[in-house]
Amino acid sequence: LVVNSKKMVKHLNANLVGGQTAAQLNPKLLRWHLGAVGTTFANGASDLFKVTVPKGTYQVTLSGLLVQSGASTTDSWQCLAVDYHKLLDNPSSPDISGIWALGGHQWSDWDAAVLDYTSAPITLTQPRAMLYGCQFSGTTGTITAYQPPTFVFHKVTVANQTQGSPVVLPKSATSHLRLPR
């Protein structure tokens, strides 16, 4: 089938798929990552970057896989995406309500860390400065990105949803839901 005209033909052309426009089917993603596969980070280093996120409603995900070697059990890491101004405008009392994504780990008896976090929708009424990245606190060893820490801001549409109807379960069913003591 070849199309050589822009003329709309009834029952042939489609300007919506599943009720969504092309722009809705391919939403804009903002994606930032630290390094590439195999990137190493020294303990005690901070890899933090400032970017501006346009206004809109976003769901933020943080993903990756970090592996440490030679670090002591007191070494740790923290990756985050946070509202730059809420965190840094008042250094003596930072506002942590602007943390959009956060993952952290202390290297103990496990030497790998999976970064896997998804936020609730966050609405920005104006463009906001955002700080993203990872901090590695420790004095020994290196951290290798088997999958680099990746921060994705996925623009979403939040629809008003109604709560479902309450359900009353018989006692015989609820007794199976209780945790053993």
Side-chain angles (χ1 to χ4, degrees), residues 104-142:
H105 182 75
Q106 183 168 342
W107 305 113
S108 54
D109 57 353
W110 184 245
D111 61 358
V114 175
L115 287 69
D116 182 21
Y117 176 84
T118 301
S119 74
I122 299 157
T123 300
L124 304 176
T125 57
Q126 60 187 1
R128 294 293 294 175
M130 190 266 303
L131 184 68
Y132 78 93
C134 297
Q135 295 179 322
F136 304 98
S137 60
T139 56
T140 60
T142 58

Side-chain angles (χ1 to χ4, degrees), residues 71-95:
S72 76
T73 58
T74 60
D75 294 346
S76 62
W77 62 269
Q78 179 178 5
C79 295
L80 59 96
V82 62
D83 184 302
Y84 179 85
H85 293 288
K86 283 187 176 187
L87 185 67
L88 298 174
D89 280 354
N90 186 1
S92 62
S93 181
D95 179 355

Side-chain angles (χ1 to χ4, degrees), residues 169-181:
L169 295 174
K171 286 186 180 187
S172 60
T174 59
S175 65
H176 295 289
L177 298 175
R178 293 190 182 123
L179 295 174
R181 294 180 188 216

Side-chain angles (χ1 to χ4, degrees), residues 1 5 12 21 26 117 126 132-133 153 163:
L1 179 65
S5 170
L12 179 62
T21 66
N26 187 15
Y117 176 84
Q126 60 187 1
Y132 78 93
F153 282 64
Q163 184 175 354

Side-chain angles (χ1 to χ4, degrees), residues 3-179:
V3 177
N4 59 6
S5 170
K6 291 185 179 185
K7 184 177 177 185
M8 289 291 285
V9 178
K10 190 176 180 178
H11 303 296
L12 179 62
N13 294 96
N15 58 356
L16 297 176
V17 175
Q20 296 184 326
T21 66
Q24 291 169 321
L25 289 172
N26 187 15
K28 185 174 182 180
L29 294 177
L30 302 174
R31 182 184 317 255
W32 297 283
H33 55 88
L34 299 181
V37 173
T39 297
T40 58
F41 304 98
N43 264 322
S46 290
D47 288 291
L48 301 171
F49 302 91
K50 182 180 173 185
V51 294
T52 300
V53 177
K55 72 178 183 176
T57 300
Y58 297 90
Q59 193 164 29
V60 183
T61 59
L62 165 60
S63 62
L65 175 63
L66 300 174
V67 176
Q68 65 87 17
S69 61
S72 76
T73 58
T74 60
D75 294 346
S76 62
W77 62 269
Q78 179 178 5
C79 295
L80 59 96
V82 62
D83 184 302
Y84 179 85
H85 293 288
K86 283 187 176 187
L87 185 67
L88 298 174
D89 280 354
N90 186 1
S92 62
S93 181
D95 179 355
I96 61 170
S97 69
I99 295 176
W100 300 339
L102 177 66
H105 182 75
Q106 183 168 342
W107 305 113
S108 54
D109 57 353
W110 184 245
D111 61 358
V114 175
L115 287 69
D116 182 21
Y117 176 84
T118 301
S119 74
I122 299 157
T123 300
L124 304 176
T125 57
Q126 60 187 1
R128 294 293 294 175
M130 190 266 303
L131 184 68
Y132 78 93
C134 297
Q135 295 179 322
F136 304 98
S137 60
T139 56
T140 60
T142 58
I143 295 94
T144 303
Y146 277 66
Q147 289 296 324
T150 302
F151 302 82
V152 177
F153 282 64
H154 179 198
K155 204 164 192 178
V156 296
T157 303
V158 179
N160 292 332
Q161 298 180 1
T162 58
Q163 184 175 354
S165 303
V167 175
V168 178
L169 295 174
K171 286 186 180 187
S172 60
T174 59
S175 65
H176 295 289
L177 298 175
R178 293 190 182 123
L179 295 174

